[in-house]
Amino acid sequence: MQSIKAKMLLWFGLTLTVLLSLLAATTYWQAKDTVIALTRELSQEVLAARSAELSRLMQGYLSDVKTFASRNLIRRGDFVEIGMDLQRRAKGINPDYEMLFFADAQGRFITTTGAMGDVSDRRYVKAIMEEGRTEFISEPVISRASGEYVFVVAAAVKDDDGKPIGLIGATVLLNTLSEIAGSITIGGNGFGWVADHNALVIAHPDPKMRMHLNLLRASERGFKGVEEIGRMVTEGRSGLRAFERPDGSQVVTIFNPIPNTPGWAIGVSLYETELMGRAYHLMRNIILLMVGILLAVLLMVGFISGRIAKPVLDLKKGVEVVASGNLDHVLDIRTGDEIEALSGAFNQMTGDLKEYIRNLQQVTADKERVEGELRVANKIQASMLPRVFPPFPDVERLDLYAVMEPAREVGGDFYDFFLLDDQRLYFSIGDVSGKGVPAALFMVITMTILRNQMVQGGSLEQVFHQTNNMLCSENVENMFVTVFTGLLDIRTGEMEFVSAGHNPPVVSRQSGDFSTLDAPVNLVLGGMEDYVFRSSRTILEPGDLLFLYTDGVTEAMNEKGELFSDARMIEAVNGLKGVGVRSLIKGMREAVGRFVQDEPASDDVTMMALTIKAG
């Protein structure tokens, strides 16, 4: 009997060990495939968003130089006059630029720094002056003015007859691309990079790699498997590839081409050990669970094996079937005692184990997918809001600043502004009922419809009437949005505005106390079809300051359940009268923060301030 007992213990222990190994290996490979698929999906979404961001950035640079090139002073082509104008504008240029410059048809150039020289041998000069291109983005070059690595965004300058007489260019620091690439976060140590169409790395978190590492010749620096990535980049293809660093670490990289660039690509790389971190963690937990079960079963077998040797041998045979990987096998032992109960418990354990593995994989996949989608949604939503500092560098009389801080990953608040023409500014602020993804979607719809209606023309009352009817159509969720919209004549200060159930703005006249801006009471947007909205008018004199906000400011709550309130808001904003728009917003954020302390935000917080500067 002792021999049977020993054999039973030995075989039972070995069988469960084999089962443990099979389950651990199966779980590891399934988790690995799941993690890689999720990481690829998340990375591709992040890369798509960043590719679009870089594309919009390039279009913005081109828009800047085209705007300069269309000015009458530039089109006259007077070299001295243009040089003086560029130097006057030196302090107001985009901080991404090293400088702006004008080059005439012979390649003579003058910059915002006052430097002059000859760029007739540059590719962008030949492309515009000889090939008839109207715009051009160059490959990275070394600036002849500073020695820094830059790339040039240029636009043709044409006279009244449409003949090119020169070009306006902006030298953009490559550090800008490195900052955008470096801000990509995948896992704990993932990093982003940008390569040009020759596979030369032009943006990387490591300065030693920028302009020094060519993916097609990476083996010379100890990298293995990078050449294939380089070839795909030069062909304008996207993909996922693995390579080995000089220190022996394995890296997985995903890359996509960037639209509206001269064949550039953006990529993100992640260490394989970090990629498989979740799989290792899951496998370790399964092993610990199975070890605990193994020890418990062995102790039980050792205690009662003297009277259950035969049933245990039958149990052992059944376990061998399960250990072979057939978790659907059911043990059929009918002894009427503890062995039968044990076989039933083992059957339950295998069923629970299958369900546990399935649920754990599903929960992990769902959590990673939702978190990834919300992170991408937050970046997409933030990218939809207009740049706020400086919003219109060419409009010297106007100063405007705004912020939006969602209570969750995405929010239902929004702000918007743009110039309808060189005289009229459209601005808007709104708050959608509810929070999270539904509110964010309704916010995007409202913001888009308002923009389109404003661009199509018509009075503010007509714009609100059309927008309201569109939002009411098929609004099965009965969502609504409060909106305040203004149309400001920058030259005269005359402002027409409509408030659709929104918190009334406050205005400070000539640095005096803030007071509520009187406005007709209107229904919210999305509340009732064919509602007639009424507008009102006022005058903003130079020095007047208008402050707009959502109820996330006045309804911010501290740990005692007290609201920040309209009264505290007026007191706080009056303590900031006379400051600029950026300082006003910063001060109000600090005032709300001091009030709520460590309490989590209960609602989205959005603020906007604008003024017409004197002179």
Side-chain angles (χ1 to χ4, degrees), residues 444-464:
V444 171
I445 294 171
T446 303
M447 184 175 170
T448 302
I449 294 175
L450 274 174
R451 267 181 168 259
N452 290 339
Q453 291 297 318
M454 286 303 304
V455 171
Q456 291 176 15
S459 67
L460 279 182
E461 295 175 345
Q462 294 171 335
V463 167
F464 269 62

Side-chain angles (χ1 to χ4, degrees), residues 77-371:
D78 188 307
F79 199 86
V80 175
E81 185 181 21
I82 292 173
M84 294 174 63
D85 181 70
L86 288 176
Q87 292 178 55
R88 283 196 300 269
R89 295 176 176 271
K91 294 183 178 180
I93 64 173
N94 189 320
D96 294 350
Y97 302 157
E98 177 197 43
M99 63 184 177
L100 291 174
F101 67 92
F102 169 79
D104 63 15
Q106 288 72 44
R108 292 186 308 150
F109 74 89
I110 186 166
T111 74
T112 48
T113 65
M116 292 187 293
D118 180 48
V119 289
S120 58
D121 60 333
R122 292 296 200 189
R123 176 73 183 90
Y124 53 85
V125 175
K126 296 179 180 179
I128 290 176
M129 299 309 303
E130 298 178 11
E131 299 172 11
R133 302 275 290 274
T134 59
E135 60 186 51
F136 191 82
I137 299 177
S138 78
E139 296 295 338
V141 297
I142 297 178
S143 171
R144 291 181 176 173
S146 66
E148 294 285 339
Y149 282 111
V150 298
F151 64 91
V152 174
V153 179
V157 176
K158 298 183 179 180
D159 60 18
D160 293 338
D161 297 326
K163 178 182 177 182
I165 61 170
L167 60 90
I168 283 288
T171 56
V172 184
L173 296 166
L174 274 185
N175 289 339
T176 301
L177 296 182
S178 294
E179 290 172 2
I180 294 176
S183 68
I184 299 176
T185 55
I186 301 294
N189 298 298
F191 59 91
W193 49 267
V194 177
D196 67 10
H197 78 285
N198 293 316
L200 177 67
V201 174
I202 62 176
H204 194 282
D206 186 357
K208 296 179 181 178
M209 298 295 180
R210 301 174 200 161
M211 302 301 294
H212 296 292
L213 175 64
N214 190 298
L215 303 180
L216 296 175
R217 298 191 298 275
S219 59
E220 299 173 2
R221 303 187 62 168
F223 293 89
K224 297 179 181 179
V226 178
E227 287 84 355
E228 175 64 18
I229 298 174
R231 283 191 291 271
M232 295 178 71
V233 166
T234 60
E235 295 168 1
R237 297 161 57 193
S238 60
L240 183 148
R241 291 292 185 274
F243 66 89
E244 182 178 322
R245 293 174 57 86
D247 59 5
S249 58
Q250 300 294 319
V251 178
V252 177
T253 189
I254 300 174
F255 49 94
N256 279 334
I258 305 173
N260 299 315
T261 62
W264 296 356
I266 185 171
V268 61
S269 299
L270 181 69
Y271 290 95
E272 188 176 38
T273 54
E274 185 175 1
L275 174 66
M276 289 307 301
R278 296 184 183 275
Y280 294 143
H281 180 72
L282 179 62
M283 182 175 65
R284 182 171 62 252
N285 289 343
I286 295 294
I287 291 175
L288 291 176
L289 175 64
M290 292 303 299
V291 167
I293 295 174
L294 173 64
L295 292 176
V297 172
L298 288 177
L299 287 174
M300 182 178 9
V301 171
F303 178 74
I304 62 175
S305 61
R307 50 192 290 268
I308 58 172
K310 175 63 170 63
V312 168
L313 291 176
D314 295 336
L315 180 65
K316 171 180 136 341
K317 294 178 181 178
V319 170
E320 289 176 345
V321 175
V322 174
S324 67
N326 183 10
L327 295 180
D328 295 322
H329 178 74
V330 178
L331 298 177
D332 187 19
I333 298 177
R334 304 181 184 276
T335 60
D337 58 11
E338 295 83 359
I339 298 300
E340 182 176 345
L342 179 60
S343 67
F346 194 85
N347 289 334
Q348 180 66 38
M349 181 193 69
T350 56
D352 291 344
L353 185 58
K354 289 194 300 180
E355 185 66 22
Y356 173 78
I357 293 173
R358 184 166 53 252
N359 290 341
L360 187 60
Q361 292 171 340
Q362 183 62 43
V363 168
T364 301
D366 289 344
K367 182 179 179 181
E368 290 292 326
R369 178 181 58 79
V370 171
E371 289 178 352

